[in-house]
Amino acid sequence: MTKSAMLLLMLVLFEGHCRTTQAQHSDPFIELTEFIKFPKIFEYDDFDDCRRNYQGAYAYCVVHARIVPDDSSGLWRNISIFTRDELHYDHALLERGVCIQDCENSLRFRGELPQPRDLSPYALYAQQARSCINTRLKEDYNLHIGSHVNIYHCYTPETDNPPVDFPEVLFYIVVTILFTFVVGSTAYDVRQRNVQGCPGTYYNEDPKTRRERLLVAFSFPRNVSRLKDTGFSKIRLDLQFLEALRFIQMCRVVFLHITLGHIKVPQANTDFMENLQEDPIIIFFIAEFQNYIQTFLSISGMLLTINFLEHIRKNPDFDGSIFWDKLKARLCRIVPAYAFVILLECSILHRYLDGPIGQHFIGEAEQNCRRWWWTNLLFFNNYVRTDQPCLVQSWYLAVDMQLFIYGLVVMMLIWRWPWTKKYILTVAFVCAALIPTLTTYAKDIEPAMTNRMKNANRFNREHDYQYDIYFPFQQNIGTYSFGMLAGFLYHRYRDSPQTLLKSKWFSVTFCVALVYYFLSMSSVYWVLENRNHMHPILKAIYSTLFKHAWAVLTTVLQLGLALASSKFLWKRCFSHPFFGVAGKLCYGFYLIHFTIIELVYAGVKAPVYSDERGVSNLLAQILWWTLIFGTLLTLLVELPSNALLKELLDRRKSNKVHEIRQTQGPNEQIVEHGN
């Protein structure tokens, strides 16, 4: 059987299996019949009307209240049964946007306005909101809420125009300095080009003196040229296809984060999202999300190893300073743009907090960044306050930095004591097998990533798979080590690639990896549906096997494409110059896309009616702004600050060293593009 036929058969079996399992579910129309009788989870008074009608005295509060259980009520019994499903919202927990002045007027008209007592404004708002919610709930559903009402956030004239504080002033100063640097550097560079007679390759060649290189670091046309420069060395050409893999997976990451952001928005038709979560394709899609990150980690491990082995080949004598040189180079590249986006989150985003949903996005992000920004810049935010993240996606940057240091240490040990290589890699792969298995078994974690709608309500932040399996450094050693192994093999066979590609063991490895991946993907739906009936140790073993399925396959594919001829069709497609530019922009896209999501969804002022068309419109808007601002972040912050810091921190500070670096080409810097 050919590989294509095998793949087609697996897909057919997977589709048939999903349909069979889905048919075993309870009739969804019965659930919908009961569902339409439920109180809506999200209801909001008109925010703009409240602010316009009461102007300088308005107060608009988003409150959370829980329905009191009432076993004598058939409606309550149906609510409690329906809520037990982890894929459903908690329908006993209500979220209301209340215009306090409208609520007061309503209570006054009914003669139910509470007697004024010595209460704080928030306590008074909570008391009044409870009375208004209870009145409607009793009239419409014959249910009532408990005595405790939690105010999530209140919008008042004071929140509309907050005072300018230090982070905001600092942001304005940084932006002013950047603008001055870009304009001044660009003007100087253009003038120098004109003096030299406008040569066509002027922006492609670095100036010879250190002073001139510093002066043109922020030149806009020069940084555009840096963005387009892909290099022409053999290693660079062999590995150019990796930029395409990074860009493709980056687009998938942005798409998934947009859908997760949409889930966090209060929904007018919660049944749409709940029914969507029961679709086998959606369950598969969410479970497979971890594979995007596995691709990045495998690429990083492979590039680090190749780069280090190239250094050893040219400098066989052991020198411990390379550890700090490479760590410094990496920090110079990733920290400036990272710090700029964190400062953006801390400083001016609250100026766009205009509406009752803004606090769910911008407000939370700003508060978290003001409290925990230092954990991000120290790269251990994947362990500290993971439920209160500053930049949700930044956990990956912490993991990648930790694995980069781990990889450097491993390569230093192998350089110093070559005989330790097989033992170090063996220990790494044993840890990759045991750590996720033991963690899943000890904490009884789900075998794959799922999306619980109860987590979408901002009341429940627990999600063990993310915090215990997805985020920690030790859980990702396996994928990174697979990439490192591919780097060793590439370096060994790059001068005779057919020796490896035509070998029997490589063909067998590829087939096994392919079958392993599709078996794990085709079985994940059944495993998740029956996880409560599986033995814990079997569930733990499956979790580890599933976690590493794509890591094994993508590493084999990367190695094969790296050694393949440049005439190979897929390698030619993935090595297109477009991907060379797009791959370098990925870091900017990754940093800025969640900020764009926050800004777009923060403009929503009422529960949204979700359907495919509405979500697609928001998706297109966010993708467009991500491309624009991600590109600007790369050209105006990342590339120029990287060039500037390299010159400032270069201990050797000699023009001769710069010339040597220029003749080395991008081989020595290739790992820097592997984030």
Side-chain angles (χ1 to χ4, degrees), residues 17 20 24 99 124 160 184 189 231 378 407 430 490 556:
H17 171 69
T20 302
Q24 297 172 356
C99 179
L124 182 60
D160 289 341
D189 208 15
L378 292 177
V430 170
Y490 168 81
V556 174

Side-chain angles (χ1 to χ4, degrees), residues 222-341:
R222 186 170 295 275
N223 283 303
V224 172
S225 180
R226 287 172 180 151
L227 190 64
K228 295 187 295 183
D229 180 24
T230 57
F232 300 99
S233 68
K234 183 182 185 307
I235 293 180
R236 191 65 178 170
L237 293 175
D238 282 347
L239 302 179
Q240 182 65 26
F241 73 93
L242 293 175
E243 303 287 12
L245 300 185
R246 292 177 59 214
F247 178 70
I248 293 169
Q249 295 292 41
M250 179 59 60
C251 290
R252 299 180 71 193
V253 167
V254 173
F255 173 75
L256 183 73
H257 283 167
I258 292 172
T259 61
L260 294 179
H262 188 81
I263 291 174
K264 190 178 179 182
V265 175
Q267 305 288 319
N269 55 329
T270 54
D271 59 307
F272 176 83
M273 301 303 301
E274 290 170 326
N275 291 334
L276 200 63
Q277 303 309 310
E278 296 181 358
D279 190 324
I281 301 302
I282 298 299
I283 293 175
F284 169 81
F285 172 66
I286 294 172
E288 195 254 352
F289 175 46
Q290 67 167 4
N291 295 344
Y292 312 166
I293 302 302
Q294 302 291 321
T295 303
F296 296 138
L297 295 179
S298 178
I299 290 174
S300 292
M302 184 176 180
L303 290 179
L304 169 68
T305 304
I306 294 172
N307 174 261
F308 204 100
L309 291 175
E310 274 296 288
H311 177 85
I312 294 175
R313 184 176 66 84
K314 297 176 181 179
N315 305 276
D317 295 332
F318 182 81
D319 181 6
S321 65
I322 185 180
F323 179 91
W324 304 110
D325 289 340
K326 291 192 174 294
L327 181 59
K328 180 178 64 177
R330 189 177 186 84
L331 291 173
C332 286
R333 178 172 183 260
I334 69 176
V335 169
Y338 190 17
F340 181 83
V341 175

Side-chain angles (χ1 to χ4, degrees), residues 381-383 385-387 389 392-393 395-396 398-400 402 449 463-476 547:
N381 52 295
N382 58 323
Y383 289 104
R385 297 294 181 179
T386 51
D387 60 338
V392 176
Q393 75 279 24
W395 69 269
Y396 166 75
V399 170
D400 195 42
Q402 293 158 10
M449 185 178 294
H463 199 316
D464 292 338
Y465 190 91
Q466 286 186 357
Y467 300 152
D468 295 324
I469 301 295
Y470 197 46
F471 292 167
F473 151 79
Q474 68 272 15
Q475 304 291 356
N476 294 288
K547 177 178 177 62

Side-chain angles (χ1 to χ4, degrees), residues 46-54 58-60 99 101:
D46 191 287
F47 177 80
D48 287 328
D49 282 350
C50 181
R51 184 165 56 180
R52 181 173 53 251
N53 294 339
Y54 301 102
Y58 87 96
Y60 189 102
C99 179
Q101 283 70 29

Side-chain angles (χ1 to χ4, degrees), residues 16 25 116 141 197 206 361 452 456 482 505 529 633 645:
H25 278 220
Y141 305 100
D206 286 344
F361 290 91
R452 302 172 182 173
F482 289 139
W505 78 264
E529 286 295 302
L633 181 66
L645 290 174

Side-chain angles (χ1 to χ4, degrees), residues 504-554:
K504 183 177 180 180
W505 78 264
F506 183 81
S507 299
V508 171
T509 301
F510 175 76
C511 291
V512 170
L514 190 67
V515 173
Y516 170 33
Y517 171 71
F518 280 103
L519 284 177
S520 65
M521 290 296 110
S522 61
S523 61
V524 67
Y525 179 80
W526 182 89
V527 170
L528 288 174
E529 286 295 302
N530 297 277
R531 60 189 181 276
N532 294 329
H533 308 294
M534 293 179 63
H535 192 281
I537 190 63
L538 293 178
K539 186 167 63 174
I541 293 173
Y542 179 85
S543 175
T544 300
L545 292 174
F546 180 81
K547 177 178 177 62
H548 292 116
W550 175 249
V552 172
L553 180 58
T554 190

